[in-house]
Amino acid sequence: MKYYENIKLKNNMVCIIRNATITDAKGVLENTKIIREETDFLLSYPDEINFSIEEKEEFLENKENSSCEIQICSVVNDRIVGLAGISAVGLKEKVKHRAELGISIEKEYYGLGIGTALTKACIDCAKTAGYRQLELEVVAENKNAIALYKKFGFKESGRNPRGFYSRYTGWQELISMLLELD
């Protein structure tokens, strides 16, 4: 799946929101590690990121050639500063209407409009792919992300009080949210 948009950030810098391609593999891996060092709200830690460049290239090529999944990057000054994507929940008839959304942004770029642009891009791509529901899980303490998702109409659909077990803080509650697209 393909996507491309130029946006002006709140600090007047230009940000390109586009699908990540095979040539972005190194930048995607670097960004992934940076973000995981900056927050405890994501699924994995930096030391758990063990993709090779070749594996990431294959992953990105598959996403780019997919009609129903995408990996999107946000690029400022020729550097990837955020990632987002949609992935199918499954291919079976009963779940093929559902996709999962994930977003991460480097802290230096919080509050500039990148999260809004990435969320909008993923919603647009999910609609284009024919999904009828977009889903995500978010750590309950991540108030900024929850506010962003609510702004787009995501609604809470459940909670898991022991969703994550953090090395640093112990149990983290996960909130399941969904957006109906039809």
Side-chain angles (χ1 to χ4, degrees):
M1 182 174 283
K2 308 251 193 261
Y3 188 89
Y4 190 93
E5 181 181 12
N6 278 323
I7 63 165
K8 189 177 216 178
L9 300 177
K10 291 178 183 176
N11 64 1
N12 291 320
M13 294 180 78
V14 174
C15 178
I16 299 168
I17 307 292
R18 62 171 173 78
N19 61 291
T21 66
I22 190 170
T23 60
D24 294 313
K26 184 174 185 251
V28 166
L29 283 173
E30 288 171 356
N31 177 263
T32 300
K33 288 181 180 177
I34 289 169
I35 290 170
R36 272 139 184 88
E37 289 170 355
E38 295 180 332
T39 184
D40 196 31
F41 293 151
L42 299 174
L43 175 64
S44 57
Y45 297 102
D47 61 303
E48 295 177 314
I49 306 300
N50 53 14
F51 290 105
S52 68
I53 293 286
E54 294 76 23
E55 288 169 325
K56 190 51 79 174
E57 287 172 343
E58 183 179 346
F59 171 83
L60 293 174
E61 184 175 35
N62 289 339
K63 293 289 185 179
E64 186 177 11
N65 293 326
S66 173
S67 62
C68 62
E69 295 187 326
I70 191 166
Q71 181 73 42
I72 298 173
C73 59
S74 55
V75 181
V76 176
N77 292 328
D78 296 319
R79 193 172 78 71
I80 294 172
V81 300
L83 297 167
I86 58 169
S87 300
V89 168
L91 301 175
K92 302 289 187 202
E93 186 174 347
K94 288 186 177 184
V95 295
K96 68 181 181 180
H97 66 285
R98 298 167 51 202
E100 295 176 318
L101 164 69
I103 296 177
S104 60
I105 302 164
E106 291 180 22
K107 277 190 177 181
E108 180 181 345
Y109 295 89
Y110 283 9
L112 298 177
I114 293 173
T116 297
L118 288 173
T119 303
K120 179 189 170 298
C122 286
I123 291 169
D124 291 347
C125 289
K127 288 178 179 178
T128 298
Y131 291 112
R132 299 175 71 186
Q133 184 166 293
L134 199 51
E135 306 171 10
L136 60 88
E137 288 186 323
V138 58
V139 174
E141 295 170 19
N142 193 348
K143 303 297 185 200
N144 290 337
I146 293 166
L148 172 68
Y149 302 137
K150 284 183 176 180
K151 179 172 85 171
F152 279 94
F154 280 84
K155 295 189 179 0
E156 185 175 322
S157 59
R159 289 182 177 246
N160 182 346
R162 293 165 53 122
F164 283 169
Y165 189 81
S166 167
R167 292 176 183 170
Y168 312 112
T169 61
W171 294 114
Q172 291 177 309
E173 182 174 39
L174 292 180
I175 299 174
S176 297
M177 300 183 81
L178 63 85
L179 175 66
E180 294 177 358
L181 300 173
D182 55 359

